[in-house]
């Protein structure tokens, strides 16, 4: 599903204008994640100096089965899915528990979504993937409904938001069950 065309509907110009006028100069990191940028980030994650990804994987590996057993989702929605490498930890847990679910990766990079979906389908033939090319700052209304949704921000993507914006994003993605 295409929520937007990153080239035709880019917010880059507005984001740069806004970011350069702000007291703290910035550009939203989403603009770095075209196909080349996404591949480069995956390479950075493999560097020994970049411990964050390995730490996240260790935490998720220890708790994935418990998370899936407690939630028993029918829909797994991942915001900023990228290569979906950590997703395999949740899918392994789902498989071990006999929990068949649909996976909805949402990312701004269509080539990365295609590549990761193909890899996941090869590894998990039972999996149904419904990829969404979208900007999670603008298209959260496209997330599928369902009573048994597990919305995942796997990794440090949420750290790209200011604290107030991160809580708004989480509430918007997860719906009314999330409170401050």
């Amino acid at each position: 599903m295409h929520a937007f065309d990153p080239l035709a509907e880019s917010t880059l110009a507005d984001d740069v204008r806004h970011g350069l006028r702000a007291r703290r100069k910035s550009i939203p990191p989403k603009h770095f994640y075209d196909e080349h940028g996404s591949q480069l980030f995956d390479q950075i994650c493999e560097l020994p100096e970049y411990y964050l990804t390995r730490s996240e994987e260790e935490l998720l590996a220890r708790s994935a089965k418990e998370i899936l057993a407690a939630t028993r989702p029918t829909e797994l929605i991942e915001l900023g899915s990228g290569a979906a490498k950590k997703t395999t930890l949740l899918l392994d847990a789902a498989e071990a528990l006999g929990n068949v679910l649909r996976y909805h990766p949402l990312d701004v990079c269509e080539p990365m979504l295609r590549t990761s979906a193909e890899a996941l389908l090869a590894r998990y033939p039972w999996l149904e993937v419904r990829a969404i090319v979208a900007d999670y700052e603008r298209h959260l209304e496209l997330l599928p409904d369902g009573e048994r949704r597990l919305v995942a921000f796997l990794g440090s993507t949420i750290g790209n938001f200011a604290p107030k914006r991160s809580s708004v994003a989480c509430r918007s993605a997860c719906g009314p069950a999330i409170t401050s």
Side-chain angles (χ1 to χ4, degrees):
M1 169 192 291
H2 281 80
F4 81 118
D5 177 347
L7 297 176
E9 300 176 51
S10 175
T11 60
L12 179 61
D14 289 337
D15 289 344
V16 168
R17 216 177 351 269
H18 176 74
L20 294 179
R21 288 182 180 149
R23 176 177 276 166
R24 283 185 53 198
K25 311 297 183 222
S26 67
I27 297 173
K30 68 183 179 185
H31 296 295
F32 308 145
Y33 294 103
D34 60 5
E35 185 173 11
H36 180 71
S38 295
Q39 291 170 350
L40 181 60
F41 181 70
D42 277 351
Q43 292 171 10
I44 290 169
C45 290
E46 299 297 324
L47 294 173
E49 299 84 2
Y50 196 79
Y51 67 90
L52 188 57
T53 298
R54 286 184 303 285
S55 298
E56 294 162 349
E57 287 171 344
E58 288 171 19
L59 288 169
L60 188 57
R62 285 198 304 261
S63 52
K65 201 167 188 177
E66 182 180 346
I67 292 167
L68 271 285
T71 58
R72 304 295 288 182
T74 56
E75 314 291 332
L76 172 58
I77 300 163
E78 184 176 3
L79 305 179
S81 58
K85 290 179 182 172
K86 287 178 227 142
T87 309
T88 61
L89 298 168
L90 290 173
L91 295 174
D92 286 345
E95 190 170 53
L97 294 166
N99 186 18
V100 177
L101 49 76
R102 280 176 296 281
Y103 175 55
H104 305 269
L106 184 145
D107 203 279
V108 295
C109 183
E110 182 177 0
M112 184 61 76
L113 279 169
R114 287 186 186 282
T115 301
S116 63
E118 289 169 5
L120 291 174
L121 289 169
R123 183 169 173 173
Y124 307 99
W126 54 266
L127 185 64
E128 182 179 341
V129 178
R130 296 182 183 174
I132 306 167
V133 180
D135 177 346
Y136 55 73
E137 290 186 88
R138 298 172 34 210
H139 303 113
L140 290 178
E141 73 280 357
L142 297 174
L143 297 179
D145 291 328
E147 290 181 31
R148 307 296 300 178
R149 297 186 325 160
L150 176 59
V151 179
F153 245 137
L154 299 178
S156 55
T157 303
I158 197 145
N160 293 330
F161 290 108
K164 184 175 183 177
R165 293 213 34 189
S166 66
S167 66
V168 169
C170 287
R171 272 197 293 283
S172 295
C174 296
I178 300 296
T179 59
S180 305

